[in-house]
Amino acid sequence: MTAFDALKQNSLSFKLLPVSIRELFYLGETPCDIFGMSDGLFKLILRKHSFINGQVLKDLIAKNHSTIFVHQEFRKSLIELQQNNLRTVTRSLSIGDPIDKGRKQISLLTLNMSYLYSDPTNDDTLNLQYQSVKNLCAFLYDRPEIHERLYKEFIKQKHHFIFAQPLLASLFLIGILKQSHVYSFKEVESLFITSYFKDIGMSVIPVEKYDQTSLSDDDSELLSSHPTTSIQILQGRIKLSPAHLAVIENHHLFSLLANDLHIPDTTKLDDRSVKMISGFETMIVSITDVIAAMITPRPYRSATSLFDSLDLVKALISEDYPTEFRLIVTYFKSVFFKNN
């Protein structure tokens, strides 16, 4: 390497930002120059306005370019492009093939969730996510027959578990609630939104730290307090009632945030807290979250199957909630295991 090349590489290291190659999905051309890392050096892999499609992206991933780099000055424009994509799909969600539209919607929602985690105080990003989640809820509520396909498509996308888990938990939740025939659509919608945003408080810890096998004591303390942080982030910014905020506050009735399952001791809680923690809404939000956590991998454990996750659910709630447990099993048997 010449001295000039070394100087150029050093300059790029100060100007380039790493982003996921997912941020090129659903774009017809590159909005800016795209760089990759090869043998420790930055290399231009796609020039601005280069044509991109699924095959181009697969080829880049095959060459270990799952992380790409863009100039800092173009980072915002790339985000805006994908957010406009999300707006477009959200507005036309009921038009066209429901599987294709649903797959694209949940992928773009999950991408925008990563933007929200990096800047949770951004009202525009939060409002876009909120409105898109509301539209997705109506879309899924009217189409229970596509839930299994969308689940399989979403699993294949292999999003980071921090962003994948809220979508999976909410997908399971809406199906169970609708099959119960107890809740109106508006009630289901409110619980769907509650489930989807309940973990936004986890954004106080950089996503990269979740890829470690263990967290520091300070990070663990922040993580354990994330339900309260979620409320602080959401309160007054999206339409959630005090009751739904209370569900968020207590949604870790069962926790899989550590290697071992932790079931909190409720013997010292007052009557109001016990009722909230033992209420069906909080329980079902917590249980669907546990199932979603089990089927997404962690640095300290592999993902389990959906079937195995239900074995854990049986151990957790079958004695205290026998009717509700039968409802959950019936839902998964009829939707996800109907061919078995």
Side-chain angles (χ1 to χ4, degrees):
M1 180 188 298
T2 66
F4 177 76
D5 289 335
L7 185 63
K8 186 176 180 181
Q9 285 291 319
N10 187 59
S11 176
L12 286 173
S13 68
F14 286 102
K15 294 178 181 179
L16 298 181
L17 291 175
V19 300
S20 170
I21 198 169
R22 294 181 188 280
E23 297 199 39
L24 297 183
F25 287 16
Y26 308 115
L27 300 179
E29 63 177 35
T30 53
C32 57
D33 287 344
I34 304 297
F35 293 82
M37 179 74 75
S38 180
D39 298 325
L41 300 176
F42 293 110
K43 293 184 178 180
L44 180 65
I45 55 176
L46 290 172
R47 294 191 178 277
K48 184 177 180 179
H49 299 312
S50 294
F51 170 77
I52 47 176
N53 61 8
Q55 188 57 53
V56 171
L57 297 176
K58 286 180 181 178
D59 290 343
L60 289 177
I61 293 171
K63 295 176 182 177
N64 295 320
H65 292 312
S66 55
T67 297
I68 55 174
F69 300 84
V70 299
H71 276 278
Q72 297 177 21
E73 61 188 293
F74 297 116
R75 180 73 183 97
K76 185 177 179 180
S77 62
L78 184 55
I79 292 174
E80 288 174 349
L81 275 174
Q82 291 294 15
Q83 289 182 331
N84 285 333
N85 264 342
L86 178 56
R87 290 187 185 93
T88 300
V89 175
T90 298
R91 290 167 183 158
S92 62
L93 197 52
S94 61
I95 302 171
D97 181 80
I99 297 296
D100 289 341
K101 277 297 181 69
R103 179 176 59 239
K104 189 172 182 179
Q105 169 80 341
I106 60 179
S107 178
L108 289 169
L109 259 175
T110 307
L111 181 58
N112 198 59
M113 188 64 133
S114 70
Y115 300 151
L116 185 57
Y117 265 61
S118 64
D119 188 7
T121 62
N122 187 309
D123 286 335
D124 291 336
T125 302
L126 177 62
N127 288 334
L128 173 60
Q129 196 74 354
Y130 174 73
Q131 292 299 328
S132 300
V133 166
K134 282 188 66 175
N135 279 38
L136 178 64
C137 179
F139 177 79
L140 293 174
Y141 187 87
D142 291 337
R143 298 167 178 82
E145 71 279 359
I146 71 171
H147 289 194
E148 181 192 23
R149 283 281 306 278
L150 288 182
Y151 157 74
K152 290 180 177 178
E153 292 291 336
F154 191 67
I155 289 292
K156 286 193 297 186
Q157 291 175 5
K158 297 183 179 179
H159 291 279
H160 193 284
F161 71 88
I162 291 297
F163 310 126
Q165 185 171 328
L167 189 285
L168 289 170
S170 301
L171 174 66
F172 300 149
L173 179 75
I174 196 172
I176 294 169
L177 293 178
K178 184 170 184 179
Q179 193 165 99
S180 73
H181 301 292
V182 172
Y183 295 88
S184 69
F185 169 71
K186 280 298 181 183
E187 290 170 327
V188 172
E189 180 184 69
S190 294
L191 284 169
F192 184 85
I193 293 169
T194 299
S195 171
Y196 189 83
F197 285 104
K198 66 186 179 302
D199 289 325
I200 188 64
M202 294 174 74
S203 61
V204 296
I205 301 176
V207 173
E208 294 77 15
K209 290 197 174 185
Y210 290 110
D211 294 325
Q212 301 172 5
T213 55
S214 62
L215 296 174
S216 68
D217 290 342
D218 289 341
D219 288 336
S220 295
E221 186 174 346
L222 279 174
L223 183 56
S224 65
S225 64
H226 85 268
T228 302
T229 307
S230 293
I231 294 172
Q232 292 170 347
I233 291 172
L234 298 172
Q235 197 161 29
R237 298 176 67 207
I238 64 174
K239 293 180 181 179
L240 284 178
S241 72
H244 292 97
L245 291 175
V247 171
I248 291 177
E249 184 180 6
N250 294 290
H251 79 270
H252 271 176
L253 172 57
F254 313 106
S255 177
L256 287 173
L257 288 172
N259 293 23
D260 299 317
L261 179 69
H262 171 64
I263 303 176
D265 178 11
T266 61
T267 58
K268 297 180 180 179
L269 296 177
D270 57 33
D271 289 343
R272 177 183 175 279
S273 297
V274 170
K275 288 179 181 178
M276 176 55 66
I277 283 186
S278 62
F280 174 76
E281 291 84 356
T282 304
M283 182 276 292
I284 199 66
V285 167
S286 181
I287 282 297
T288 52
D289 194 46
V290 167
I291 295 171
M294 291 288 290
I295 63 176
T296 49
R298 300 290 188 271
Y300 48 80
R301 61 167 172 80
S302 300
T304 68
S305 69
L306 191 53
F307 183 84
D308 288 339
S309 72
L310 292 177
D311 274 345
L312 176 60
V313 172
K314 180 180 180 180
L316 293 175
I317 70 168
S318 61
E319 290 188 10
D320 294 329
Y321 296 91
T323 302
E324 290 80 359
F325 175 66
R326 284 195 294 271
L327 171 64
I328 293 169
V329 171
T330 299
Y331 165 69
F332 280 100
K333 283 180 66 176
S334 63
V335 176
F336 294 91
F337 305 123
K338 57 182 179 289
N339 296 322
N340 294 338

PDB file of all heavy atoms in Angstrom, residues 274-306:
ATOM      1  N   VAL A 274     -51.111  -7.308  42.512  1.00  0.00           N
ATOM      2  CA  VAL A 274     -51.316  -8.729  42.255  1.00  0.00           C
ATOM      3  C   VAL A 274     -52.345  -8.925  41.158  1.00  0.00           C
ATOM      4  O   VAL A 274     -52.178  -9.740  40.249  1.00  0.00           O
ATOM      5  CB  VAL A 274     -51.760  -9.453  43.545  1.00  0.00           C
ATOM      6  CG1 VAL A 274     -52.209 -10.881  43.217  1.00  0.00           C
ATOM      7  CG2 VAL A 274     -50.614  -9.499  44.547  1.00  0.00           C
ATOM      8  N   LYS A 275     -53.430  -8.138  41.201  1.00  0.00           N
ATOM      9  CA  LYS A 275     -54.459  -8.253  40.173  1.00  0.00           C
ATOM     10  C   LYS A 275     -53.904  -7.891  38.806  1.00  0.00           C
ATOM     11  O   LYS A 275     -54.233  -8.519  37.799  1.00  0.00           O
ATOM     12  CB  LYS A 275     -55.645  -7.352  40.530  1.00  0.00           C
ATOM     13  CG  LYS A 275     -56.481  -7.866  41.690  1.00  0.00           C
ATOM     14  CD  LYS A 275     -57.624  -6.911  42.019  1.00  0.00           C
ATOM     15  CE  LYS A 275     -58.441  -7.426  43.199  1.00  0.00           C
ATOM     16  NZ  LYS A 275     -59.520  -6.486  43.563  1.00  0.00           N
ATOM     17  N   MET A 276     -53.069  -6.847  38.760  1.00  0.00           N
ATOM     18  CA  MET A 276     -52.510  -6.430  37.475  1.00  0.00           C
ATOM     19  C   MET A 276     -51.570  -7.509  36.932  1.00  0.00           C
ATOM     20  O   MET A 276     -51.639  -7.895  35.782  1.00  0.00           O
ATOM     21  CB  MET A 276     -51.758  -5.103  37.633  1.00  0.00           C
ATOM     22  CG  MET A 276     -51.060  -4.636  36.363  1.00  0.00           C
ATOM     23  SD  MET A 276     -52.167  -4.523  34.933  1.00  0.00           S
ATOM     24  CE  MET A 276     -53.235  -3.197  35.477  1.00  0.00           C
ATOM     25  N   ILE A 277     -50.702  -8.029  37.798  1.00  0.00           N
ATOM     26  CA  ILE A 277     -49.727  -9.011  37.346  1.00  0.00           C
ATOM     27  C   ILE A 277     -50.413 -10.325  36.965  1.00  0.00           C
ATOM     28  O   ILE A 277     -49.969 -11.034  36.073  1.00  0.00           O
ATOM     29  CB  ILE A 277     -48.655  -9.228  38.432  1.00  0.00           C
ATOM     30  CG1 ILE A 277     -47.680  -8.053  38.419  1.00  0.00           C
ATOM     31  CG2 ILE A 277     -47.885 -10.507  38.212  1.00  0.00           C
ATOM     32  CD1 ILE A 277     -46.505  -8.214  39.324  1.00  0.00           C
ATOM     33  N   SER A 278     -51.510 -10.654  37.670  1.00  0.00           N
ATOM     34  CA  SER A 278     -52.167 -11.928  37.386  1.00  0.00           C
ATOM     35  C   SER A 278     -53.304 -11.783  36.382  1.00  0.00           C
ATOM     36  O   SER A 278     -53.959 -12.761  36.061  1.00  0.00           O
ATOM     37  CB  SER A 278     -52.722 -12.525  38.687  1.00  0.00           C
ATOM     38  OG  SER A 278     -53.692 -11.662  39.257  1.00  0.00           O
ATOM     39  N   GLY A 279     -53.541 -10.568  35.885  1.00  0.00           N
ATOM     40  CA  GLY A 279     -54.608 -10.358  34.926  1.00  0.00           C
ATOM     41  C   GLY A 279     -54.326 -11.035  33.599  1.00  0.00           C
ATOM     42  O   GLY A 279     -53.171 -11.226  33.213  1.00  0.00           O
ATOM     43  N   PHE A 280     -55.389 -11.407  32.885  1.00  0.00           N
ATOM     44  CA  PHE A 280     -55.222 -12.125  31.619  1.00  0.00           C
ATOM     45  C   PHE A 280     -54.416 -11.314  30.611  1.00  0.00           C
ATOM     46  O   PHE A 280     -53.536 -11.850  29.937  1.00  0.00           O
ATOM     47  CB  PHE A 280     -56.597 -12.467  31.025  1.00  0.00           C
ATOM     48  CG  PHE A 280     -56.504 -13.084  29.657  1.00  0.00           C
ATOM     49  CD1 PHE A 280     -56.126 -14.406  29.507  1.00  0.00           C
ATOM     50  CD2 PHE A 280     -56.744 -12.331  28.520  1.00  0.00           C
ATOM     51  CE1 PHE A 280     -56.028 -14.984  28.254  1.00  0.00           C
ATOM     52  CE2 PHE A 280     -56.641 -12.899  27.253  1.00  0.00           C
ATOM     53  CZ  PHE A 280     -56.284 -14.225  27.128  1.00  0.00           C
ATOM     54  N   GLU A 281     -54.699 -10.004  30.505  1.00  0.00           N
ATOM     55  CA  GLU A 281     -54.021  -9.185  29.496  1.00  0.00           C
ATOM     56  C   GLU A 281     -52.511  -9.164  29.715  1.00  0.00           C
ATOM     57  O   GLU A 281     -51.726  -9.359  28.780  1.00  0.00           O
ATOM     58  CB  GLU A 281     -54.577  -7.753  29.493  1.00  0.00           C
ATOM     59  CG  GLU A 281     -55.992  -7.630  28.979  1.00  0.00           C
ATOM     60  CD  GLU A 281     -57.035  -7.900  30.047  1.00  0.00           C
ATOM     61  OE1 GLU A 281     -56.647  -8.256  31.187  1.00  0.00           O
ATOM     62  OE2 GLU A 281     -58.241  -7.768  29.749  1.00  0.00           O
ATOM     63  N   THR A 282     -52.110  -8.927  30.972  1.00  0.00           N
ATOM     64  CA  THR A 282     -50.673  -8.901  31.259  1.00  0.00           C
ATOM     65  C   THR A 282     -50.057 -10.278  31.061  1.00  0.00           C
ATOM     66  O   THR A 282     -48.948 -10.411  30.526  1.00  0.00           O
ATOM     67  CB  THR A 282     -50.419  -8.421  32.695  1.00  0.00           C
ATOM     68  OG1 THR A 282     -51.039  -7.140  32.868  1.00  0.00           O
ATOM     69  CG2 THR A 282     -48.934  -8.283  32.969  1.00  0.00           C
ATOM     70  N   MET A 283     -50.780 -11.310  31.485  1.00  0.00           N
ATOM     71  CA  MET A 283     -50.268 -12.668  31.334  1.00  0.00           C
ATOM     72  C   MET A 283     -50.066 -13.020  29.871  1.00  0.00           C
ATOM     73  O   MET A 283     -49.013 -13.536  29.483  1.00  0.00           O
ATOM     74  CB  MET A 283     -51.226 -13.665  31.993  1.00  0.00           C
ATOM     75  CG  MET A 283     -50.751 -15.123  31.941  1.00  0.00           C
ATOM     76  SD  MET A 283     -51.153 -15.981  30.385  1.00  0.00           S
ATOM     77  CE  MET A 283     -52.943 -16.080  30.515  1.00  0.00           C
ATOM     78  N   ILE A 284     -51.049 -12.729  29.022  1.00  0.00           N
ATOM     79  CA  ILE A 284     -50.946 -13.149  27.625  1.00  0.00           C
ATOM     80  C   ILE A 284     -49.888 -12.338  26.877  1.00  0.00           C
ATOM     81  O   ILE A 284     -49.182 -12.859  26.007  1.00  0.00           O
ATOM     82  CB  ILE A 284     -52.321 -13.066  26.915  1.00  0.00           C
ATOM     83  CG1 ILE A 284     -52.320 -13.922  25.639  1.00  0.00           C
ATOM     84  CG2 ILE A 284     -52.727 -11.643  26.608  1.00  0.00           C
ATOM     85  CD1 ILE A 284     -52.190 -15.391  25.883  1.00  0.00           C
ATOM     86  N   VAL A 285     -49.735 -11.053  27.224  1.00  0.00           N
ATOM     87  CA  VAL A 285     -48.663 -10.250  26.631  1.00  0.00           C
ATOM     88  C   VAL A 285     -47.306 -10.818  27.043  1.00  0.00           C
ATOM     89  O   VAL A 285     -46.380 -10.934  26.232  1.00  0.00           O
ATOM     90  CB  VAL A 285     -48.792  -8.770  27.038  1.00  0.00           C
ATOM     91  CG1 VAL A 285     -47.524  -7.992  26.685  1.00  0.00           C
ATOM     92  CG2 VAL A 285     -49.993  -8.131  26.341  1.00  0.00           C
ATOM     93  N   SER A 286     -47.196 -11.193  28.323  1.00  0.00           N
ATOM     94  CA  SER A 286     -45.943 -11.755  28.820  1.00  0.00           C
ATOM     95  C   SER A 286     -45.639 -13.105  28.188  1.00  0.00           C
ATOM     96  O   SER A 286     -44.503 -13.380  27.780  1.00  0.00           O
ATOM     97  CB  SER A 286     -46.011 -11.892  30.341  1.00  0.00           C
ATOM     98  OG  SER A 286     -44.806 -12.422  30.852  1.00  0.00           O
ATOM     99  N   ILE A 287     -46.660 -13.957  28.068  1.00  0.00           N
ATOM    100  CA  ILE A 287     -46.451 -15.307  27.540  1.00  0.00           C
ATOM    101  C   ILE A 287     -46.084 -15.271  26.056  1.00  0.00           C
ATOM    102  O   ILE A 287     -45.185 -16.002  25.610  1.00  0.00           O
ATOM    103  CB  ILE A 287     -47.696 -16.175  27.775  1.00  0.00           C
ATOM    104  CG1 ILE A 287     -47.732 -16.637  29.230  1.00  0.00           C
ATOM    105  CG2 ILE A 287     -47.718 -17.379  26.840  1.00  0.00           C
ATOM    106  CD1 ILE A 287     -46.565 -17.522  29.635  1.00  0.00           C
ATOM    107  N   THR A 288     -46.748 -14.450  25.258  1.00  0.00           N
ATOM    108  CA  THR A 288     -46.385 -14.371  23.836  1.00  0.00           C
ATOM    109  C   THR A 288     -44.978 -13.809  23.678  1.00  0.00           C
ATOM    110  O   THR A 288     -44.253 -14.172  22.751  1.00  0.00           O
ATOM    111  CB  THR A 288     -47.397 -13.525  23.044  1.00  0.00           C
ATOM    112  OG1 THR A 288     -47.569 -12.244  23.681  1.00  0.00           O
ATOM    113  CG2 THR A 288     -48.742 -14.221  22.958  1.00  0.00           C
ATOM    114  N   ASP A 289     -44.571 -12.946  24.613  1.00  0.00           N
ATOM    115  CA  ASP A 289     -43.206 -12.433  24.601  1.00  0.00           C
ATOM    116  C   ASP A 289     -42.213 -13.549  24.908  1.00  0.00           C
ATOM    117  O   ASP A 289     -41.149 -13.639  24.288  1.00  0.00           O
ATOM    118  CB  ASP A 289     -43.082 -11.308  25.628  1.00  0.00           C
ATOM    119  CG  ASP A 289     -41.808 -10.501  25.460  1.00  0.00           C
ATOM    120  OD1 ASP A 289     -41.482 -10.132  24.312  1.00  0.00           O
ATOM    121  OD2 ASP A 289     -41.136 -10.220  26.467  1.00  0.00           O
ATOM    122  N   VAL A 290     -42.551 -14.414  25.852  1.00  0.00           N
ATOM    123  CA  VAL A 290     -41.692 -15.553  26.182  1.00  0.00           C
ATOM    124  C   VAL A 290     -41.548 -16.481  24.977  1.00  0.00           C
ATOM    125  O   VAL A 290     -40.441 -16.928  24.648  1.00  0.00           O
ATOM    126  CB  VAL A 290     -42.259 -16.324  27.397  1.00  0.00           C
ATOM    127  CG1 VAL A 290     -41.573 -17.680  27.550  1.00  0.00           C
ATOM    128  CG2 VAL A 290     -42.079 -15.511  28.665  1.00  0.00           C
ATOM    129  N   ILE A 291     -42.663 -16.769  24.314  1.00  0.00           N
ATOM    130  CA  ILE A 291     -42.606 -17.649  23.137  1.00  0.00           C
ATOM    131  C   ILE A 291     -41.709 -17.041  22.063  1.00  0.00           C
ATOM    132  O   ILE A 291     -40.853 -17.730  21.486  1.00  0.00           O
ATOM    133  CB  ILE A 291     -44.024 -17.901  22.581  1.00  0.00           C
ATOM    134  CG1 ILE A 291     -44.869 -18.668  23.600  1.00  0.00           C
ATOM    135  CG2 ILE A 291     -43.950 -18.692  21.267  1.00  0.00           C
ATOM    136  CD1 ILE A 291     -46.339 -18.773  23.225  1.00  0.00           C
ATOM    137  N   ALA A 292     -41.895 -15.740  21.796  1.00  0.00           N
ATOM    138  CA  ALA A 292     -41.062 -15.068  20.791  1.00  0.00           C
ATOM    139  C   ALA A 292     -39.598 -15.077  21.190  1.00  0.00           C
ATOM    140  O   ALA A 292     -38.707 -15.211  20.338  1.00  0.00           O
ATOM    141  CB  ALA A 292     -41.556 -13.630  20.601  1.00  0.00           C
ATOM    142  N   ALA A 293     -39.324 -14.933  22.490  1.00  0.00           N
ATOM    143  CA  ALA A 293     -37.936 -14.962  22.965  1.00  0.00           C
ATOM    144  C   ALA A 293     -37.331 -16.342  22.775  1.00  0.00           C
ATOM    145  O   ALA A 293     -36.158 -16.477  22.392  1.00  0.00           O
ATOM    146  CB  ALA A 293     -37.882 -14.562  24.438  1.00  0.00           C
ATOM    147  N   MET A 294     -38.114 -17.377  23.037  1.00  0.00           N
ATOM    148  CA  MET A 294     -37.598 -18.739  22.927  1.00  0.00           C
ATOM    149  C   MET A 294     -37.214 -19.089  21.492  1.00  0.00           C
ATOM    150  O   MET A 294     -36.230 -19.803  21.261  1.00  0.00           O
ATOM    151  CB  MET A 294     -38.654 -19.733  23.425  1.00  0.00           C
ATOM    152  CG  MET A 294     -38.927 -19.678  24.913  1.00  0.00           C
ATOM    153  SD  MET A 294     -37.580 -20.365  25.885  1.00  0.00           S
ATOM    154  CE  MET A 294     -37.721 -22.116  25.501  1.00  0.00           C
ATOM    155  N   ILE A 295     -37.962 -18.605  20.513  1.00  0.00           N
ATOM    156  CA  ILE A 295     -37.736 -19.033  19.122  1.00  0.00           C
ATOM    157  C   ILE A 295     -36.756 -18.116  18.389  1.00  0.00           C
ATOM    158  O   ILE A 295     -36.495 -18.316  17.209  1.00  0.00           O
ATOM    159  CB  ILE A 295     -39.060 -19.116  18.343  1.00  0.00           C
ATOM    160  CG1 ILE A 295     -39.737 -17.748  18.243  1.00  0.00           C
ATOM    161  CG2 ILE A 295     -39.981 -20.143  18.983  1.00  0.00           C
ATOM    162  CD1 ILE A 295     -41.005 -17.756  17.398  1.00  0.00           C
ATOM    163  N   THR A 296     -36.223 -17.099  19.086  1.00  0.00           N
ATOM    164  CA  THR A 296     -35.179 -16.258  18.496  1.00  0.00           C
ATOM    165  C   THR A 296     -33.875 -16.509  19.253  1.00  0.00           C
ATOM    166  O   THR A 296     -33.875 -16.566  20.482  1.00  0.00           O
ATOM    167  CB  THR A 296     -35.553 -14.767  18.562  1.00  0.00           C
ATOM    168  OG1 THR A 296     -35.977 -14.420  19.886  1.00  0.00           O
ATOM    169  CG2 THR A 296     -36.682 -14.450  17.590  1.00  0.00           C
ATOM    170  N   PRO A 297     -32.759 -16.688  18.549  1.00  0.00           N
ATOM    171  CA  PRO A 297     -31.504 -17.064  19.213  1.00  0.00           C
ATOM    172  C   PRO A 297     -30.909 -15.927  20.034  1.00  0.00           C
ATOM    173  O   PRO A 297     -31.171 -14.748  19.786  1.00  0.00           O
ATOM    174  CB  PRO A 297     -30.597 -17.432  18.041  1.00  0.00           C
ATOM    175  CG  PRO A 297     -31.126 -16.626  16.888  1.00  0.00           C
ATOM    176  CD  PRO A 297     -32.608 -16.564  17.090  1.00  0.00           C
ATOM    177  N   ARG A 298     -30.118 -16.300  21.013  1.00  0.00           N
ATOM    178  CA  ARG A 298     -29.394 -15.359  21.864  1.00  0.00           C
ATOM    179  C   ARG A 298     -27.911 -15.733  21.845  1.00  0.00           C
ATOM    180  O   ARG A 298     -27.557 -16.866  21.516  1.00  0.00           O
ATOM    181  CB  ARG A 298     -29.908 -15.417  23.306  1.00  0.00           C
ATOM    182  CG  ARG A 298     -31.383 -15.073  23.489  1.00  0.00           C
ATOM    183  CD  ARG A 298     -31.606 -13.587  23.230  1.00  0.00           C
ATOM    184  NE  ARG A 298     -32.967 -13.199  23.581  1.00  0.00           N
ATOM    185  CZ  ARG A 298     -33.990 -13.236  22.759  1.00  0.00           C
ATOM    186  NH1 ARG A 298     -33.805 -13.705  21.529  1.00  0.00           N
ATOM    187  NH2 ARG A 298     -35.178 -12.814  23.140  1.00  0.00           N
ATOM    188  N   PRO A 299     -27.026 -14.813  22.223  1.00  0.00           N
ATOM    189  CA  PRO A 299     -25.595 -15.173  22.270  1.00  0.00           C
ATOM    190  C   PRO A 299     -25.304 -16.323  23.219  1.00  0.00           C
ATOM    191  O   PRO A 299     -24.345 -17.067  23.025  1.00  0.00           O
ATOM    192  CB  PRO A 299     -24.941 -13.872  22.763  1.00  0.00           C
ATOM    193  CG  PRO A 299     -25.892 -12.789  22.393  1.00  0.00           C
ATOM    194  CD  PRO A 299     -27.252 -13.390  22.511  1.00  0.00           C
ATOM    195  N   TYR A 300     -26.148 -16.477  24.263  1.00  0.00           N
ATOM    196  CA  TYR A 300     -25.890 -17.505  25.262  1.00  0.00           C
ATOM    197  C   TYR A 300     -26.733 -18.764  25.061  1.00  0.00           C
ATOM    198  O   TYR A 300     -26.630 -19.706  25.850  1.00  0.00           O
ATOM    199  CB  TYR A 300     -26.126 -16.958  26.675  1.00  0.00           C
ATOM    200  CG  TYR A 300     -27.429 -16.202  26.847  1.00  0.00           C
ATOM    201  CD1 TYR A 300     -28.634 -16.862  27.022  1.00  0.00           C
ATOM    202  CD2 TYR A 300     -27.437 -14.812  26.837  1.00  0.00           C
ATOM    203  CE1 TYR A 300     -29.812 -16.171  27.175  1.00  0.00           C
ATOM    204  CE2 TYR A 300     -28.612 -14.105  26.989  1.00  0.00           C
ATOM    205  CZ  TYR A 300     -29.800 -14.789  27.173  1.00  0.00           C
ATOM    206  OH  TYR A 300     -30.979 -14.101  27.325  1.00  0.00           O
ATOM    207  N   ARG A 301     -27.594 -18.797  24.034  1.00  0.00           N
ATOM    208  CA  ARG A 301     -28.366 -20.016  23.770  1.00  0.00           C
ATOM    209  C   ARG A 301     -28.906 -19.992  22.345  1.00  0.00           C
ATOM    210  O   ARG A 301     -29.062 -18.926  21.741  1.00  0.00           O
ATOM    211  CB  ARG A 301     -29.530 -20.164  24.757  1.00  0.00           C
ATOM    212  CG  ARG A 301     -30.538 -19.043  24.704  1.00  0.00           C
ATOM    213  CD  ARG A 301     -31.809 -19.392  25.459  1.00  0.00           C
ATOM    214  NE  ARG A 301     -32.696 -18.243  25.568  1.00  0.00           N
ATOM    215  CZ  ARG A 301     -33.503 -17.828  24.599  1.00  0.00           C
ATOM    216  NH1 ARG A 301     -33.515 -18.470  23.438  1.00  0.00           N
ATOM    217  NH2 ARG A 301     -34.267 -16.765  24.772  1.00  0.00           N
ATOM    218  N   SER A 302     -29.201 -21.170  21.834  1.00  0.00           N
ATOM    219  CA  SER A 302     -29.785 -21.278  20.502  1.00  0.00           C
ATOM    220  C   SER A 302     -31.296 -21.102  20.581  1.00  0.00           C
ATOM    221  O   SER A 302     -31.894 -21.194  21.656  1.00  0.00           O
ATOM    222  CB  SER A 302     -29.463 -22.657  19.905  1.00  0.00           C
ATOM    223  OG  SER A 302     -28.075 -22.849  19.813  1.00  0.00           O
ATOM    224  N   ALA A 303     -31.901 -20.853  19.443  1.00  0.00           N
ATOM    225  CA  ALA A 303     -33.355 -20.757  19.387  1.00  0.00           C
ATOM    226  C   ALA A 303     -33.966 -22.134  19.571  1.00  0.00           C
ATOM    227  O   ALA A 303     -33.398 -23.144  19.156  1.00  0.00           O
ATOM    228  CB  ALA A 303     -33.785 -20.171  18.048  1.00  0.00           C
ATOM    229  N   THR A 304     -35.131 -22.179  20.198  1.00  0.00           N
ATOM    230  CA  THR A 304     -35.868 -23.429  20.318  1.00  0.00           C
ATOM    231  C   THR A 304     -36.944 -23.459  19.232  1.00  0.00           C
ATOM    232  O   THR A 304     -37.192 -22.469  18.554  1.00  0.00           O
ATOM    233  CB  THR A 304     -36.552 -23.562  21.685  1.00  0.00           C
ATOM    234  OG1 THR A 304     -37.597 -22.585  21.775  1.00  0.00           O
ATOM    235  CG2 THR A 304     -35.574 -23.344  22.813  1.00  0.00           C
ATOM    236  N   SER A 305     -37.592 -24.587  19.110  1.00  0.00           N
ATOM    237  CA  SER A 305     -38.709 -24.685  18.177  1.00  0.00           C
ATOM    238  C   SER A 305     -39.955 -24.075  18.809  1.00  0.00           C
ATOM    239  O   SER A 305     -40.037 -23.924  20.034  1.00  0.00           O
ATOM    240  CB  SER A 305     -38.985 -26.143  17.819  1.00  0.00           C
ATOM    241  OG  SER A 305     -39.509 -26.839  18.947  1.00  0.00           O
ATOM    242  N   LEU A 306     -40.909 -23.754  17.973  1.00  0.00           N
ATOM    243  CA  LEU A 306     -42.178 -23.232  18.469  1.00  0.00           C
ATOM    244  C   LEU A 306     -42.859 -24.268  19.364  1.00  0.00           C
ATOM    245  O   LEU A 306     -43.441 -23.932  20.407  1.00  0.00           O
ATOM    246  CB  LEU A 306     -43.077 -22.866  17.287  1.00  0.00           C
ATOM    247  CG  LEU A 306     -44.346 -22.062  17.556  1.00  0.00           C
ATOM    248  CD1 LEU A 306     -44.052 -20.798  18.340  1.00  0.00           C
ATOM    249  CD2 LEU A 306     -45.027 -21.718  16.231  1.00  0.00           C
TER     250      LEU A 306
END
